[in-house]
Amino acid sequence: MSVVCLESLTFGIGHLVRAADALGERLVLLTRDPAYYACELERLAPDALDVVETDTFDVEHVADLLHRTPGLRGLISSTDTWTLIGAELSERLGLPGLDPAVLRLTRDKAAVRDRLHAAGLTRGRAMDVAGHGAEEMLLKEVGLPAVLKDTAGTGSQNVWLARDEPELVAALDEAAGRELKGRLFAEPYFSGPVYLAL
């Protein structure tokens, strides 16, 4: 029997191997770059798990690999970059997992911000930043300082702080030249502690 990891965090693979072993499962890691996990993999016996190098963004190829995995019993997708892909593949293959619709919502930072606002849990709403007049609308609706970011971004990439109008113009110009995973949106900047929900 097998459990497949669609990529992983850069730490904890040894714990996953031990947990899989305790359950009588074989752990398989699908990754675009095994070197990314070198520190973890070097600590394990060479035969502790199967590492398969493949394009983990090629959903159809990954689905084919999963179909050919003997005794596949589960798919782990623990990073936000691959969470939705993993959930959709789990659903397609009838494996246990989270509802892709829920994950689509939680991966949309603007939608989450607006849900929190509607529930009275934050003072600020999200504003999509697109088209002619976006700068003026952002200044009116969000104000400064503001944070601009990718609705589906990961790893703190494509995030800009605009404290004043020149920084806002620079952020909008830079964002226009980037390939975003979602859409650009703005939210108010709040000072205080930062929390991360995993």
Side-chain angles (χ1 to χ4, degrees):
M1 299 300 181
S2 303
V3 174
V4 173
C5 288
L6 181 59
E7 298 291 354
S8 185
L9 300 172
T10 55
F11 56 89
I13 294 174
H15 294 299
L16 290 172
V17 167
R18 288 186 291 281
D21 286 348
L23 295 170
E25 306 286 352
R26 180 72 177 167
L27 191 67
V28 179
L29 173 63
L30 302 182
T31 179
R32 297 176 68 205
D33 183 6
Y36 188 70
Y37 304 100
C39 184
E40 281 280 307
L41 296 175
E42 288 168 359
R43 296 178 184 169
L44 299 170
D47 63 345
L49 74 159
D50 297 324
V51 178
V52 178
E53 187 172 349
T54 188
D55 181 356
T56 52
F57 287 117
D58 184 340
V59 176
E60 294 310 314
H61 181 69
V62 170
D64 182 55
L65 284 173
L66 293 172
H67 278 296
R68 293 186 284 123
T69 301
L72 178 63
R73 296 184 15 112
L75 177 63
I76 300 169
S77 180
S78 60
T79 67
D80 55 354
T81 303
W82 285 274
T83 298
L84 188 53
I85 293 169
E88 290 172 352
L89 286 168
S90 291
E91 183 178 64
R92 185 191 305 187
L93 298 172
L95 298 170
L98 297 171
D99 181 349
V102 171
L103 292 174
R104 271 190 288 282
L105 170 64
T106 59
R107 288 285 297 123
D108 185 329
K109 292 171 176 52
V112 169
R113 162 76 52 204
D114 286 341
R115 289 262 178 127
L116 291 171
H117 183 267
L121 298 172
T122 183
R123 297 182 316 247
R125 298 190 63 170
M127 186 195 117
D128 280 353
V129 179
H132 181 70
E135 181 182 340
E136 293 79 20
M137 185 64 81
L138 189 153
L139 289 169
K140 179 181 173 191
E141 298 292 323
V142 177
L144 293 175
V147 176
L148 285 75
K149 61 175 107 171
D150 184 348
T151 57
T154 63
S156 298
Q157 296 176 22
N158 296 324
V159 177
W160 298 269
L161 172 61
R163 291 172 285 236
D164 54 33
E165 287 191 50
E167 283 187 352
L168 175 61
V169 170
L172 290 169
D173 286 345
E174 190 173 336
R178 296 279 182 92
E179 185 176 328
L180 302 179
K181 299 206 181 294
R183 350 175 268 294
L184 186 65
F185 83 102
E187 61 188 3
Y189 172 80
F190 298 113
S191 61
V194 175
Y195 298 96
L196 175 64
L198 296 174

